[in-house]
Amino acid sequence: MWQSSPPGSIYDYIRVASFSIGPDGLIEQWSRRAAGLFGIPAEKVVGMDPVEAFMPAELRMDGHRRVREILDGREWTGLVPFRIQDEDPVHGLAEIYVMPSETKTGERAALCIVVDVRALRRIETDLAASQAIFGQSPFGFVLFGMDLTVVRANQRFATVFGGRAADHRGRTVDDYLSRPEADRLTAMLERVLATGASVTDLQLVGTAPGDSETRHWSMNLYRVHSGSGRPIGIAGLATDVTRRHIAAREAASARRNLALLNEASARIGNSLDLETTARELLDVAVPGFCDLASVDLYQGLLTGDDAPPGSWDSLRQESFGGSAELRRVALASAVSDALPVTATDTGVPAPGTGPPALGAVHRFSYNSPCAMALRTRRVEDVPGDERGFVQSTLAVPMVAHDTVVGLVQFSRTKGSEPFGERDRALATELAARAAVCIDNARLYRREHERALILQRSLLPPGDPVAAGLDIACRYLPGNTATEVGGDWFDVIELPGHRTALVVGDVMGRGLRAAVAMGELRTAVRTLALLDLEPAEVLSALDEVARGLGTPGGGTSSSNGFGGGAQWLSRAAHKSREADLSEVYLATCVYAVYDPVTRRCTFANAGHLPPAVVEPGQPAMLLDIPPGMPLGVGSEPVEEVEVELKEGALLALYTDGLVESRDHPLDEGLDALRSALVEPERPLEDVCDRVLTTLDTRHGEDDIALLMARIQGLPVDAVGDWRLPREPRSVGRARELARGQLLAWDLEELVDTTELLVSELVTNALRYGEGEIRLRLLRDRTLVCEVWDAGLVQPRRRRARDTDEGGRGLQLVGMLSEAWGARRTPRGKTVWFELALPDGEPAAERTVEQLLSMF
């Protein structure tokens, strides 16, 4: 069958040309390929001597001889250098096949076939390179024909799939891959053949003959063309990427694990509630790590037992009957067939009744993997359930600070990838992080409860009662998500039916703040018993606060008070541990109210100003110089005396009532003034209104609120007289006291009062100075006060048998409920207090008491 040689055939590659030499030795015919090879057209070369035209001069003699031999009928083959016309030196090398021929007249001629040696060498090099690439490549190389059968495969391909390279000729992709993978590759081959678009990194999965391990290949496909551009097949380069796939899978697993750990760091431990922390752990683990999960915590940990769960004693007890009691506090499932179950009671489930429900209290049997994990503190594998639903489970003990707090179980259902070593490590890390948060929450809860107990024990018990005041108070500690603060309030009864109202706040939180609050409150009560002025109390309290943060009590007394306050400060210093060097700061407002005058004296150390509401007037904040907080040791505290109207409302509070992160302090103070309306309502209702009206964001800080309604002593409950400094004033004082008591229907107290008044007025005449003042106050008790201008404080002493005097204060101390003396701006006041008659006969004095009078 005749066919034309298409462009790009083998003859084009090897550059074959021909020309003929006539009987005269001259070129007679010149083919087009010869013109292309030598670069000379036929019209120029026909009729020329080929030796003279193309051969170098030094070879022409030998060339003429060869031409004569050829024309004599001799064949010749050889390599002939040639040059193109007008070019020098030699341009190329030709291999010439010379075959003698005859003309139709019988004359000798020759036909010359010329091949460009350079083209032959290039073809040889290309073939050698192609063979090297195909045969020596470390990758599987396969050539598919137009019918998608294997035309050729290299030895690497044969090594993977068996046999020799030649044995694979004629096979199809179905001989190497499973049906789904073979169909996918066939479709890709057809697409490449149809479009000519190459395909790179086609991922294929299969198994090599005689190997059960799944292999992964990456295959590149491209269409192969002939020299003329005609498609002749598809070349495929296959690379075994199983290790790369495994590495990529491990890297993806590592990235997933890191992401889970990062998520765990952000989501676990945001709450100090134990059960919430357990649920946060499962929110992270399901479904990102497993399909099912549960958390069991020791029941003792949840009930607040002091003995740490998972201790040696508890583990030793477990050996007698399985694990200690645990409660299932969290369940999570990503599978609809395994939704969490909630317990209907807290009893221990019977054996064989299935896994514990949410909230159930249970034990793990001694030989179970879960009990083993709790004892050994190592991860244990738990067999799948009887239904065959769960494929594998990890029982992971939750260990924190060498303490086992519970157990978490991670499960994967069938169809999921089994747990590996990397998963075991991740499960341990997740459980450990949650365990630390749970143990920290347990420790915090214990400290919080202790601090709260301490704080509440230091607050006034019940409803405080004071003369001339109706008092209501509220204390709201921070919720369990915050630490206990140092807020406190107090109501202290002072001599003369006066009352000290105190509200303070130790800066900081926690047990130490509560302890510092207790020490400051105790110091305030002690200073109040010394009956110091409010400014003196806060100045002395400032020294106490500085002593709390000074190791060894190194702070010296810098105030101008008496030795009592200085001794108190030194005692407070010595009560601290030697290694404590913290600075304790506190704010405090101290007010002393006198019900006789309805005057209240305020001193403020960095605290918020008190609020006052007078009848018919809007609430206002008292303008009291705030001073510096306690513990700073700065300028002296100033006092402000305010006269309060009958029925006025006084409010002392801490910053938790008016300040939060959501609004500034000024807005909170304005809201407080707005809430203090209708002061005539019952005081308890006013307190509740303030707390419910203000946006306190309760839980962020403690709140202390102390409110008092002013109710001065009635005029007829006060007897007040001034006596000249003369002896007859003693009798006059007795007469006045007798008359006032009879007017008050307190006849039972007349004799005792007369005797004690006589003693105090006599002492004022003997040891005091200036005018004498006698005052009787009747409220819940009877108070008698004797004033004079002397500064010498009375001192009780035991009289000797030979002394004629010195027994007056002994009588006062024995016959009265309480007695004392305090300084005044113009001298001193000595007072005693008697209980009002309750209808019961008075207790008789003992012999020792009577003898002590003499």
Side-chain angles (χ1 to χ4, degrees):
M1 181 179 64
W2 294 90
Q3 67 178 21
S4 62
S5 176
S9 67
I10 188 63
Y11 301 106
D12 288 334
Y13 282 109
I14 62 176
R15 303 187 68 182
V16 177
S18 65
F19 64 90
S20 63
I21 301 175
D24 55 359
L26 303 177
I27 297 175
E28 188 176 61
Q29 292 179 338
W30 188 255
S31 68
R32 293 180 180 178
R33 286 184 178 271
L37 174 62
F38 294 102
I40 304 173
E43 58 269 19
K44 284 187 178 183
V45 77
V46 173
M48 293 182 62
D49 185 344
V51 175
E52 296 294 334
F54 305 113
M55 296 190 66
E58 64 274 11
L59 299 178
R60 290 175 182 172
M61 182 180 296
D62 186 58
H64 286 296
R65 181 172 59 82
R66 295 292 183 184
V67 171
R68 288 194 298 270
E69 292 177 355
I70 292 170
L71 293 177
D72 288 340
R74 187 175 178 182
E75 290 186 1
W76 180 82
T77 301
L79 297 176
V80 178
F82 68 90
R83 63 182 178 84
I84 298 177
Q85 189 72 22
D86 301 328
E87 289 189 12
D88 195 51
V90 175
H91 181 73
L93 184 66
E95 187 173 33
I96 299 180
Y97 300 88
V98 181
M99 294 170 287
S101 63
E102 292 182 358
T103 65
K104 59 183 177 179
T105 60
E107 294 179 298
R108 298 287 182 92
L111 176 63
C112 300
I113 304 298
V114 182
V115 177
D116 189 348
V117 174
R118 295 173 303 171
L120 288 176
R121 298 296 179 264
R122 284 197 300 269
I123 292 174
E124 291 175 354
T125 302
D126 291 344
L127 288 175
S130 298
Q131 182 62 31
I133 293 174
F134 194 86
Q136 302 174 20
S137 172
F139 309 111
F141 208 108
V142 60
L143 182 63
F144 294 96
M146 297 297 291
D147 57 354
L148 303 187
T149 61
V150 176
V151 175
R152 187 178 180 186
N154 67 351
Q155 187 57 42
R156 175 59 182 169
F157 186 88
T159 302
V160 174
F161 291 100
R164 298 174 303 168
D167 298 337
H168 293 273
R169 185 171 298 169
R171 293 184 180 180
T172 65
V173 295
D174 294 310
D175 296 322
Y176 305 105
L177 299 173
S178 62
R179 172 59 61 183
E181 291 292 275
D183 291 344
R184 193 161 65 91
L185 178 56
T186 299
M188 198 62 64
L189 290 172
E190 291 174 347
R191 193 181 79 177
V192 171
L193 193 60
T195 65
S198 302
V199 174
T200 59
D201 198 22
L202 174 63
Q203 297 292 318
L204 299 172
V205 180
T207 57
D211 189 359
S212 60
E213 181 182 1
T214 300
R215 311 295 297 179
H216 296 263
W217 293 285
S218 172
M219 198 164 193
N220 298 330
L221 302 174
Y222 57 93
R223 192 169 67 181
V224 180
H225 305 84
S226 67
S228 62
R230 177 173 54 87
I232 61 174
I234 303 171
L237 181 65
T239 306
D240 191 333
V241 293
T242 303
R243 292 185 180 180
R244 188 176 72 184
H245 180 81
I246 294 174
R249 185 174 59 186
E250 291 181 352
S253 176
R255 287 193 298 270
R256 182 200 64 185
N257 293 352
L258 287 175
L260 279 174
L261 291 178
N262 289 335
E263 184 180 4
S265 300
R267 297 181 61 181
I268 299 176
N270 293 321
S271 169
L272 290 173
D273 180 72
L274 305 182
E275 297 183 7
T276 301
T277 303
R279 289 193 294 270
E280 290 171 346
L281 168 62
L282 299 194
D283 289 341
V284 172
V286 179
F289 177 68
C290 61
D291 302 317
L292 302 167
S294 63
V295 177
D296 300 295
L297 298 181
Y298 277 108
Q299 178 71 355
L301 180 145
L302 297 170
T303 56
D305 291 349
D306 289 337
S311 61
W312 168 248
D313 290 337
S314 64
L315 292 178
R316 184 174 56 186
Q317 294 173 1
E318 291 178 5
S319 62
F320 297 100
S323 67
E325 286 188 346
L326 299 105
R327 184 192 304 172
R328 181 142 295 181
V329 296
L331 273 174
S333 172
V335 184
S336 59
D337 295 338
L339 295 176
V341 180
T342 302
T344 56
D345 55 57
T346 57
V348 178
T353 58
L358 183 63
V361 178
H362 63 97
R363 299 177 186 267
F364 292 115
S365 61
Y366 179 76
N367 293 323
S368 66
C370 293
M372 182 71 70
L374 291 172
R375 287 196 304 271
T376 62
R377 305 184 181 185
R378 293 194 300 266
V379 181
E380 296 289 337
D381 293 315
V382 181
D385 59 9
E386 296 178 357
R387 296 177 297 170
F389 182 77
V390 175
Q391 176 180 237
S392 59
T393 298
L394 297 178
V396 187
M398 305 177 71
V399 184
H401 308 125
D402 202 32
T403 298
V404 180
V405 299
L407 183 80
V408 57
Q409 297 183 65
F410 301 106
S411 301
R412 289 181 178 173
T413 58
K414 291 196 173 177
S416 299
E417 186 177 354
F419 290 113
E421 287 301 320
R422 191 186 299 274
D423 295 324
R424 294 170 68 93
L426 177 60
T428 303
E429 181 65 22
L430 290 175
R433 294 195 179 197
V436 169
C437 295
I438 288 175
D439 194 52
N440 289 342
R442 175 182 69 88
L443 296 176
Y444 166 79
R445 184 177 63 181
R446 183 175 64 183
E447 178 180 341
H448 184 273
E449 290 175 351
R450 292 176 179 177
L452 198 57
I453 292 172
L454 172 64
Q455 189 179 47
R456 288 176 174 172
S457 68
L458 295 174
L459 295 174
D463 296 326
V465 178
L469 291 176
D470 181 15
I471 296 178
C473 54
R474 295 289 187 274
Y475 177 76
L476 301 178
N479 59 31
T480 56
T482 59
E483 293 187 277
V484 170
D487 295 14
W488 92 91
F489 69 91
D490 209 345
V491 179
I492 307 171
E493 293 187 57
L494 300 178
H497 288 313
R498 296 171 303 137
T499 303
L501 304 176
V502 189
V503 170
D505 184 4
V506 176
M507 298 181 186
R509 310 196 64 79
L511 187 59
R512 285 194 162 185
V515 171
M517 177 271 284
E519 295 188 8
L520 292 178
R521 178 179 179 272
T522 302
V524 169
R525 281 192 158 266
T526 304
L527 293 168
L529 294 178
L530 297 177
D531 212 354
L532 302 174
E533 295 297 324
E536 294 176 334
V537 170
L538 291 188
S539 296
L541 198 61
D542 174 71
E543 187 176 349
V544 173
R546 282 184 286 149
L548 294 179
T550 304
T555 302
S556 61
S557 175
S558 59
N559 54 34
F561 311 143
Q566 297 180 14
W567 175 88
L568 174 66
S569 179
R570 288 193 294 270
H573 292 175
K574 293 180 180 179
S575 68
R576 305 299 296 170
E577 297 180 2
D579 60 345
L580 184 61
S581 60
E582 292 188 49
V583 176
Y584 285 90
L585 299 179
T587 62
C588 181
V589 60
Y590 185 89
V592 175
Y593 171 69
D594 187 344
V596 178
T597 63
R598 293 198 315 275
R599 289 183 174 274
C600 191
T601 305
F602 295 91
N604 189 356
H607 202 79
L608 297 173
V612 172
V613 187
E614 294 185 343
Q617 300 293 326
M620 64 177 181
L621 301 178
L622 294 179
D623 186 12
I624 301 174
M628 298 298 292
L630 302 175
V632 175
S634 58
E635 296 297 324
V637 181
E638 298 183 39
E639 287 184 1
V640 173
E641 187 176 70
V642 179
E643 183 175 352
L644 302 174
K645 294 183 179 180
E646 185 76 18
L649 199 62
L650 175 65
L652 306 178
Y653 51 92
T654 56
D655 57 358
L657 182 67
V658 295
E659 186 177 23
S660 75
R661 292 175 294 182
D662 297 332
H663 57 74
L665 177 61
D666 291 341
E667 292 184 9
L669 293 175
D670 292 340
L672 173 62
R673 288 196 296 267
S674 301
L676 290 173
V677 294
E678 302 180 11
E680 68 279 357
R681 297 179 60 184
L683 199 56
E684 295 291 338
D685 294 346
V686 177
C687 279
D688 293 337
R689 175 184 173 82
V690 170
L691 292 177
T692 56
T693 302
L694 268 65
D695 184 15
T696 60
R697 299 287 181 181
H698 176 53
E700 295 180 0
D701 196 4
D702 294 0
I703 296 175
L705 174 63
L706 177 61
M707 302 190 72
R709 176 173 285 119
I710 303 303
Q711 298 173 345
L713 287 181
V715 176
D716 59 0
V718 179
D720 196 351
W721 306 275
R722 296 182 184 275
L723 303 172
R725 190 171 187 78
E726 56 187 29
R728 65 177 182 174
S729 294
V730 177
R732 178 59 179 163
R734 288 198 298 268
E735 292 175 4
L736 294 171
R738 170 183 287 274
Q740 185 65 65
L741 292 181
L742 292 177
W744 286 340
D745 295 328
L746 297 177
E747 186 176 355
E748 297 180 22
L749 301 179
V750 170
D751 293 340
T752 303
T753 304
E754 278 190 294
L755 175 61
L756 299 184
V757 166
S758 176
E759 289 294 335
L760 294 186
V761 173
T762 299
N763 284 343
L765 287 172
R766 182 176 300 176
Y767 304 109
E769 300 176 5
E771 186 183 38
I772 298 173
R773 181 184 177 187
L774 173 64
R775 189 168 75 167
L776 295 179
L777 306 175
R778 179 181 183 274
D779 191 68
R780 291 177 292 111
T781 61
L782 175 66
V783 174
C784 176
E785 298 175 335
V786 175
W787 306 44
D788 70 81
L791 297 177
V792 179
Q793 295 287 325
R795 182 172 60 88
R796 182 178 177 180
R797 63 183 178 85
R798 177 174 290 277
R800 295 189 295 269
D801 294 341
T802 58
D803 291 343
E804 296 182 359
R807 296 178 176 84
L809 291 181
Q810 289 185 357
L811 284 173
V812 174
M814 182 175 298
L815 299 179
S816 66
E817 295 293 328
W819 77 279
R822 70 176 184 273
R823 292 183 300 164
T824 64
R826 297 180 180 84
K828 69 177 181 296
T829 298
V830 183
W831 58 272
F832 68 84
E833 183 177 345
L834 297 176
L836 298 181
D838 55 1
E840 299 292 333
E844 296 184 358
R845 305 289 177 181
T846 64
V847 176
E848 291 77 8
Q849 291 175 331
L850 294 174
L851 289 177
S852 66
M853 300 180 186
F854 302 97

